[in-house]
Amino acid sequence: MKSVLITGASSGIGKAIAMRLHAAGHKVYGSSRNPEKYPDVPFTLLELDVNKPETIARALHQIAAAGDTVSVLVNNAGKGIAGALEEIPEGEAKAVFDTNFFGPVSLIKAVLPAMRQQKSGLIINITSMAGYMGLPYRSLYSATKSALEIACEALSMEVKPFGVEIVTIAPGDFATNIAAGRYHAPLAADSPYFEGYSTALEMMNQQVDKGADPDEIAKMVESIMRKGAGKIHYKAASFTEKSGVVLKRILPDKWYEKMMMKHFKLPAY
């Protein structure tokens, strides 16, 4: 049995991970900005906002007061954002980096001292397949997830001498409520991006609606905890989604761009 802290565990992928690990007998501490809204979950749900260091410290204090130390951290809390880069307000751009990149970094920094002391630990960061490529009208979301992927590569080498393992799991399209909480730049009829953005936005929502069961991610997390991390980067995605990453590596970039624009039905010059 391990003590696991999962951010963003009130719904979607985070809740699926928490439910599976709780059923397997692990001591699960989930987190939510508003835990009082979810009184019926079978695991402990703590108040935690990844953008507020004081809530991170308070949650870890509560875990310690219960006699536990975090042996597995699952950085799952995240925020969606969509729109033409030119039309996304600077405040929203910074906010998504705060949540998707600096938030996980804050959690990592908070749990590492104890993990180093006990010479063991596992940190799993939920990123996205969008982090492997620049997706039109999801530029900033792709950027936040790509930043976390690369930071984890470096972090893995830094903490390996202390027995701490670092893993990223990049989901493709899964059936979650991320679209409901995603920031959308206004879809204005007089915008020069209206045609491309409206088409891309419709495709985004359709892909989420037809997405896979989040429990597939939970199974992957459970397997990594049981068997150990065989690698740093895992991809939880369809064959088509994984193929896109492979093609990006082998195709000339202008060919790849043309292929992506055709896929997203974007108008060319």
Side-chain angles (χ1 to χ4, degrees), residues 47-48 52-63 107 110:
E47 180 184 358
L48 190 156
K52 296 180 179 179
E54 67 276 13
T55 68
I56 296 174
R58 186 164 60 241
L60 292 178
H61 178 76
Q62 290 174 295
I63 293 172
L107 265 296

Side-chain angles (χ1 to χ4, degrees), residues 128-150:
S128 172
M129 292 296 288
Y132 285 90
M133 61 197 80
L135 297 178
Y137 301 103
R138 279 180 281 182
S139 56
L140 291 174
Y141 184 74
S142 289
T144 62
K145 296 301 186 176
S146 180
L148 188 56
E149 287 276 351
I150 294 299

Side-chain angles (χ1 to χ4, degrees), residues 73-240:
L73 167 66
V74 181
N75 267 321
N76 167 74
K79 179 179 181 179
I81 188 167
L85 181 62
E86 182 183 350
E87 297 181 342
I88 294 175
E90 185 175 339
E92 293 294 341
K94 291 180 178 179
V96 76
F97 265 94
D98 284 342
T99 299
N100 291 1
F101 180 74
F102 292 108
V105 168
S106 295
L107 265 296
I108 290 169
K109 293 173 71 173
V111 302
L112 270 177
M115 288 184 175
R116 284 190 291 100
Q117 186 175 19
Q118 65 195 18
K119 298 191 182 301
S120 67
L122 172 63
I123 298 174
I124 299 175
N125 302 282
I126 307 300
T127 58
S128 172
M129 292 296 288
Y132 285 90
M133 61 197 80
L135 297 178
Y137 301 103
R138 279 180 281 182
S139 56
L140 291 174
Y141 184 74
S142 289
T144 62
K145 296 301 186 176
S146 180
L148 188 56
E149 287 276 351
I150 294 299
C152 287
E153 282 188 9
L155 177 63
S156 178
M157 292 183 276
E158 294 171 1
V159 301
K160 196 172 291 292
F162 307 110
V164 180
E165 291 186 299
I166 305 296
V167 167
T168 69
I169 298 177
D173 291 316
F174 279 80
T176 69
N177 63 350
I178 187 171
R182 181 195 295 140
Y183 170 81
H184 296 91
L187 187 62
D190 60 348
S191 167
Y193 300 100
F194 177 79
E195 182 181 351
Y197 181 29
S198 58
T199 300
L201 194 58
E202 184 178 353
M203 289 184 68
M204 287 181 221
N205 294 332
Q206 289 176 351
Q207 288 164 351
V208 170
D209 292 341
K210 298 176 182 178
D213 186 345
D215 190 54
E216 295 302 312
I217 305 287
K219 291 176 183 176
M220 185 175 288
V221 170
E222 185 181 26
S223 176
I224 293 169
M225 288 174 57
R226 185 174 64 252
K227 299 177 182 178
K231 53 186 179 180
I232 299 172
H233 302 294
Y234 290 80
K235 297 178 182 68
S238 67
F239 175 80
T240 300

